[in-house]
Every structure is written in C-alpha cells, then in structure tokens.
Amino acid sequence: MEFKTNCQKFIRSAAIGAVIGFISATTVNADGHTNQELNQELADLVPQVFKDAGVIYAAGAFDNPPSIFADLNDPNKAKGIAPELGEAISPIIGVPIEFRNTQWPGQLPGLDAGTFGLVWGQLSVTAERERNVLDLIPWYQSSLALMVPGGNPKNISDWASMCGTSVGVAIGSIYIKVIENASAVYCTPDGKPAITTSEFQGSEVPALQAGQVDSVMDTVTVMAQMAASINGIDSVALPPEQSFEFFPGLAGIGISKEHPGLSMAIAGALEILYENGTWQAIADANGAGGDIPTPQLIKVNALTDTPAGETTN
C-alpha cells in the first residue's frame, strides 16, 4: 500500500522538483525529433570523473522491448526508449551516454563498483531504494501484465486467478515482493495456495516455453510487445487498480548516491525532453506513448523526496 499512497501523493502534488524546469534551445530534424543543445547549467553538475572519462556507461539488459533491446544488425547496440532518451540527454549534459548489455544481477553491483554511471532499463522505483540504496529518477510508468502460454490455459486474469500458479522473474526482482504481497491478500487468507515465484538469470521466456513456470511478469507495454514477437505466447494485463495496490508502476534511472550532481543533471535533462516534446515523440515511436510519468514525478527520488545523494533511516 505504501508504494501506491506515495505515488498518488506525488501525482497530486503541484510542486515540481528544483532540478527541473530548465529549458534549452532546440531545432527539429527530418524525423520529427529535436536536436538538443548543451545546457551549461546542467553540464556543470556532471561530476568530473565522467567528464574525464568522456562517457557515462549505462547498464541494462538488451531484452526488454520497447524499453531496451538489441539492434537486429548489431547485438551490441541498444535500441528502444531508454537508449533513445540517453542519446537525446547526451548533448544536453555534455557527456555521451553509452549502454552496456548487462543482465540484472550485474547491474547494481556494477553501479556500486563504478563500472557504470547509470542503471537504466529494468530498475523499479521503490521508497526503500530511494531512501537507502541509490538515487532514482522515474522515466517510465505502467501497470503490470503477464506473458502466458498461448490460449492462457490457466485462465489468468487477476491476482485471485493466479493463486497456486508460478511466476518467472529475474533474480532479485522487485516483483518477488509484489507477488508475495498480492498472494498474502488474495490467496492465503481464503485458504487458496500461494502464488510462487522462480528466479532466473537472463530471460525467463525459455522457462515459460518449457512449462517450468505458468507466467512471466513485467509491465503492460513490455509484455504485450514481447508476446507479439514470440509464437505461442500471449499477454494478460492485470487490472490496474490491483497492480498499483502493490506496485507504483515506475521504472527509474538508478544513480549512485556518491554522484548527486549526475542525478540532478539527468533529471533536468529529462525535464527539457518532456517540455520540448522529444520524450513524447520517442515514446510514441516505440508504441508506449501513454507510459511517460506525470511532470510532478520527473525528479530525483519522487516517491520520498529524499535529496539527491542523501540517505534517510
């Protein structure tokens, strides 16, 4: 309930974070996207370590369309909403963002080690993470869905219909706790078997195809696009009111609390892209035009208002 309450609180809020509101001059190119220009105020916030390196590496698994996926012509090149936003942010802050294909178990450790400056693609926003683990900037908002075998043999439609089924998730995924909470509300109090989870390193789809799990969980747009590209797989959206009961629906850009300047620079650049329409154009082109967070959420640590770089106990 905490995630839903905090999310609603900030959606209703009329205040926009101090790091947003920067406006940058732009021009429009042939495909309708804007060509971004340097914003010196934001560029000055970027820590010197990234300026010296000449690049900010972003960790993300290239298997989550439309958020992030591998280019068919070059599997080492990222495509999708996150990489396109990163490409648009780069000239605004004066340092290029380059994505590295990294499965979820290696993303946060790589951030802690300084291998990556950003974690961007699969990271869910939670109050606990904002307060004690890393800075988070929402960039994507959606309710939950599942991939299921074709024809939906378990007749999954909501949490109650999932009682006694198994769900495949990435190792360490936030969805594990979401499913535990949902099971404790919709299953076990009525004497129904719990919803169970199985963790996988890498894609969970092979386990679904092999019948090892009954479903795989992610956000609505991700699941719909993946299911459409895989024969014999369907997607089922959970009722949004049930989804948001345990999950704020926010994916975030994760940044070490050692680099608050980078957090504020990225948030400011995202606000520019929101204001000049580039973000909407990128989302529309990737079939996710309705998945942009509200302006009040485009800031550092939007659920808790924890200042960039700080922790609270």
Side-chain angles (χ1 to χ4, degrees):
M1 290 292 191
E2 177 187 8
F3 297 158
K4 181 182 178 184
T5 301
N6 281 329
C7 190
Q8 289 174 333
K9 171 184 174 184
F10 283 96
I11 289 174
R12 290 194 300 266
S13 172
I16 297 179
V19 297
I20 63 180
F22 297 101
I23 304 299
S24 175
T26 60
T27 57
V28 180
N29 60 27
D31 64 5
H33 286 51
T34 53
N35 296 318
Q36 312 306 320
E37 296 184 2
L38 179 72
N39 183 296
Q40 193 61 54
E41 189 172 1
L42 295 179
D44 289 344
L45 292 172
V46 177
Q48 192 63 41
V49 63
F50 299 108
K51 295 176 181 178
D52 291 343
V55 65
I56 301 169
Y57 290 117
F62 294 5
D63 58 5
N64 283 264
S67 300
I68 180 171
F69 55 94
D71 188 323
L72 290 176
N73 299 316
D74 182 358
N76 294 314
K77 182 179 180 181
K79 303 282 284 184
I81 301 170
E84 289 183 42
L85 283 174
E87 185 177 357
I89 287 171
S90 297
I92 296 174
I93 64 173
V95 182
I97 295 172
E98 182 178 318
F99 280 76
R100 292 288 180 88
N101 194 359
T102 311
Q103 291 300 319
W104 170 248
Q107 292 180 17
L108 293 182
L111 188 73
D112 291 339
T115 304
F116 309 119
L118 309 172
V119 168
W120 192 350
Q122 292 80 35
L123 184 60
S124 295
V125 175
T126 72
E128 174 62 24
R129 282 174 174 166
E130 286 185 356
R131 292 189 183 109
N132 297 308
V133 182
L134 70 172
D135 287 338
L136 288 165
I137 306 164
W139 68 279
Y140 187 91
Q141 185 171 33
S142 179
S143 56
L144 294 171
L146 300 135
M147 282 197 299
V148 297
N152 192 10
K154 296 286 185 176
N155 295 314
I156 291 173
S157 60
D158 55 15
W159 289 122
S161 65
M162 293 173 64
C163 299
T165 68
S166 59
V167 185
V169 297
I171 293 175
S173 169
I174 189 64
Y175 300 140
I176 297 169
K177 189 63 176 178
V178 170
I179 292 166
E180 287 178 357
N181 290 339
S183 185
V185 171
Y186 288 94
C187 301
T188 52
D190 297 326
K192 298 177 182 178
I195 308 169
T196 60
T197 57
S198 295
E199 298 181 63
F200 297 91
Q201 183 167 349
S203 175
E204 305 95 297
V205 173
L208 178 65
Q209 293 173 314
Q212 295 175 274
V213 294
D214 299 310
S215 64
V216 170
M217 178 171 284
D218 210 306
T219 58
V220 168
T221 304
V222 170
M223 292 290 87
Q225 292 200 15
M226 288 187 69
S229 68
I230 304 172
N231 291 331
I233 298 294
D234 291 335
S235 67
V236 177
L238 291 176
E241 65 274 13
Q242 288 192 9
S243 173
F244 291 132
E245 187 173 356
F246 308 103
F247 177 67
L250 293 172
I253 303 169
I255 302 169
S256 170
K257 287 186 177 292
E258 294 183 0
H259 300 304
L262 181 60
S263 300
M264 292 186 288
I266 295 293
L270 281 173
E271 175 62 10
I272 289 173
L273 299 180
Y274 183 90
E275 293 288 348
N276 68 26
T278 299
W279 194 342
Q280 189 66 59
I282 289 171
D284 288 344
N286 285 278
D291 294 337
I292 299 175
T294 59
Q296 293 81 10
L297 291 168
I298 305 171
K299 61 178 182 178
V300 182
N301 301 327
L303 293 185
T304 63
D305 255 354
T306 302
E310 296 186 15
T311 59
T312 60
N313 297 318

